[in-house]
Structures are given as C-alpha cells and as structure tokens.
Amino acid sequence: MTTLGLLDGRPISRAALYHRLTALRSGPRATALPQTGSSEDRQLTRWVAQVLLTEALCEAVAAERKLPVVSDGPVHLDHQAAVELGSITAAAFEGSPAVRAVYESVTADTEPSPTDIAHYRAMTTRAQVTRWRLALPDGELEADPDTLPLALTEALRTAPEGEWVTVGPWKAALLATTTPLEEDDPTPALRDAARRAAFVRWLDRERAQRLMLVEGLEHPGDPAQPDNHHRH
C-alpha cells in the first residue's frame, strides 16, 4: 500500500512515513526502539503515521487560512504541555511550524474563565504565615513565632529589632520578620492550559471530519486494531 491516509478524500503518499521511520531507526535513540516487525514496532509505525497526518492536516489548514508559517526549527515542550496535548499532537507541534501556526490561530482568543481562575486560587492559595529570623547563642534560626515559647514570643515582639532578650532559659534576638511573597498571577499558566485544551478539541474534530485512516495505520490507541494490547 502506498497511501498514508486520506485528507479531504485525497490520498497522502506513504513515502514520508518511510523517511521518518528510517530517520528514527538510524538516529541516536535507535537502540531504544522496538524490534523491527514486532507488535510494538507496528504500534510505533501507527504512531508516526498519526504524527505525519496531523502535520499534513495543519499544513492544509495553514494554507487555507493563509497563515505565516516560519521554519524556525523544532521546539521543545515542557512535560506538562506535552501531556496535555498528548504524545502525537505534542510531537507534531514540536516538529512542524505549520502545526504551531495553526495552534496560534485556533487558540488566539482562548482565555481561562473567571471561575477557573477563582477555583485555581482557592485550591492553591495558602494562608500567609509570618516568619521570624532569630539569632540564638549558637547560631541563627527561622521560625514561626507561634511555635516559640509564649513568654519569649511576647518579649521579642516588644523588643527593638536585633536586641537580645532573655526569658527564663531562653535567649534570642529578632533579626527580621518575613512573610511569603505574593502569589504569582496564575492567569498566564491557566491561559496556556486552556489554549492546549481548546486545540486538542479542535484537532479531534478536524481529524474526524477530514482524515480517513487506512488499514494497518489505525490510531495506536484504537481498541479494534490487532496490536492494541489494552483491549477489554
């Protein structure tokens, strides 16, 4: 078979798949790849095919939308971004400037909702705790004042900063009072996550409407294909 798949009913040559697999098998990570002809190798072939189809789809969309596609070399996503996009889309995003251009176009107006931001803050914001940096006879210590002996805490509160106080067996000087830094604005990180989620939804719809897979190059997660070992 010479067809990688169909895009809008038009066949895509399988040659790119052979080239991509050859590059992988001759590359620096070749020893980590599955044995040729094994079930895992067929799954790798399916995975690479899906990456190439995703790239082809986005190249078509970029042309339709007249998007600027800048060949600026591959990029590298962080772990969270790669997980949120999924391995196939992440690989296509990293390697294809057309995928990145379409991503920017599709998600340009995506913003986290006020509810999402408020929920994130509620789940992650911690109560601010005052910390004291103390001088002790044998060194310095940072501590929550509520964890110190009450009499020592009260004496330190009223003493000038840096002045030694002695209360019973305890001797200390309050050097500085600190509070946690103000929480960073979560909006940029939430926006990035929302954009990735929006792109995945858009891409799933476009794949379903415009791509047709061929036998042997089904999605590696398709439970109906024979090499999927996670069928129930």
Side-chain angles (χ1 to χ4, degrees), residues 116-126 183-187:
D116 291 337
I117 296 173
H119 177 71
Y120 179 89
R121 289 188 184 278
M123 296 298 292
T124 61
T125 300
R126 299 178 180 178
E183 295 282 346
D184 291 336
D185 182 4
T187 304

Side-chain angles (χ1 to χ4, degrees), residues 23-45:
L24 287 172
R25 289 169 179 151
S26 61
R29 298 183 180 179
T31 57
L33 298 181
Q35 183 177 356
T36 303
S38 65
S39 173
E40 292 78 10
D41 181 59
R42 291 191 292 273
Q43 285 289 71
L44 173 63
T45 299

Side-chain angles (χ1 to χ4, degrees), residues 54-55 58-59 89 92-93 96-104 199:
T54 300
E55 293 174 357
C58 287
E59 287 166 5
T89 302
F93 183 98
S96 169
V99 176
R100 298 193 291 274
V102 172
Y103 173 89
E104 294 296 331
F199 186 62

